[in-house]
Amino acid sequence: MASTSAERGKTTRQRLLDAAVALVPEVGWGGVTTRLVAERAGVAPGVVHYHFASVTELLVAAGTGFSGVLLEQFAVALTAQPGIGEGVDWLLGELSRHSGTDPASLLVVEMFLASTRLPELRERLGEQITGFRARVASWLAEHGYQGDADAAAAMLAAAVDGIMLHRALDPGLDFATLAGPLRAMFGLDG
């Protein structure tokens, strides 16, 4: 059964998005070019601009597509934890699987930096993070957190970002030592 033109276009667009996601950690946000994306996706350079008005538009779509899935996965798994302490433990365990210099971490860092210069990226990424924090705040409140759940969710999200930045600079960062301070933030015993 032959695929339709629309199906082929959708497949090509996804290959371009996947290529951009892979290239950002390798060459940096500003190093991604039409030629590099086309080569990685196995298409002619003109195909990139058929699907996206600019490389920036492609990068914003690719990056926010990736971060949207990542934040959704984190939110689902974190809020499935039976308690706040278990959530902190799960989160640290999950973060320990990343080096800070792995492709996912590098892509997120590059996106944060690029968002300081690109209002569309800042807005879209900000919406995703705000949604993540709202889900975490609801989970905290449902599990008996007595303080300002919105502020605690923002602090937890910022701690995740900071931990990953520090992990890149200090590969020996001991996640076990971070559990106590994070638990204390929520009024839990070490």
Side-chain angles (χ1 to χ4, degrees), residues 16 19 23 33-48:
L16 295 170
L23 284 165
T33 64
T34 299
R35 181 186 57 76
L36 286 173
V37 171
E39 285 176 6
R40 181 65 59 96
V43 300
V47 173
V48 175

Side-chain angles (χ1 to χ4, degrees), residues 39-184:
E39 285 176 6
R40 181 65 59 96
V43 300
V47 173
V48 175
H49 291 292
Y50 175 79
H51 289 276
F52 298 95
S54 66
V55 171
T56 299
E57 181 183 296
L58 167 60
L59 290 172
V60 169
T64 56
F66 177 85
S67 60
V69 169
L70 182 70
L71 286 169
E72 176 65 18
Q73 290 172 342
F74 262 67
V76 167
L78 178 62
T79 60
Q81 300 304 309
I84 297 170
E86 292 89 349
V88 168
D89 293 342
W90 174 85
L91 188 59
L92 287 172
E94 194 62 23
L95 292 177
S96 71
R97 297 180 335 123
H98 297 277
S99 66
T101 57
D102 60 281
S105 298
L106 291 174
L107 177 59
V108 171
V109 168
E110 288 281 343
M111 287 178 62
F112 276 0
L113 182 58
S115 73
T116 65
R117 296 180 299 278
L118 300 170
E120 180 184 357
L121 177 59
R122 181 172 47 252
E123 182 179 329
R124 289 176 65 184
L125 189 55
E127 288 169 357
Q128 290 177 343
I129 291 170
T130 299
F132 173 79
R133 290 185 344 209
R135 289 174 72 180
V136 172
S138 292
W139 173 76
L140 289 170
E142 290 167 9
H143 286 81
Y145 182 68
Q146 297 299 309
D148 182 340
D150 291 327
M155 286 299 298
L156 184 61
V160 167
D161 297 337
I163 288 167
M164 292 318 297
L165 287 171
H166 284 256
R167 175 80 163 184
L169 299 172
D170 180 6
L173 185 62
D174 183 0
F175 282 84
T177 64
L178 303 177
L182 276 177
R183 286 174 160 277

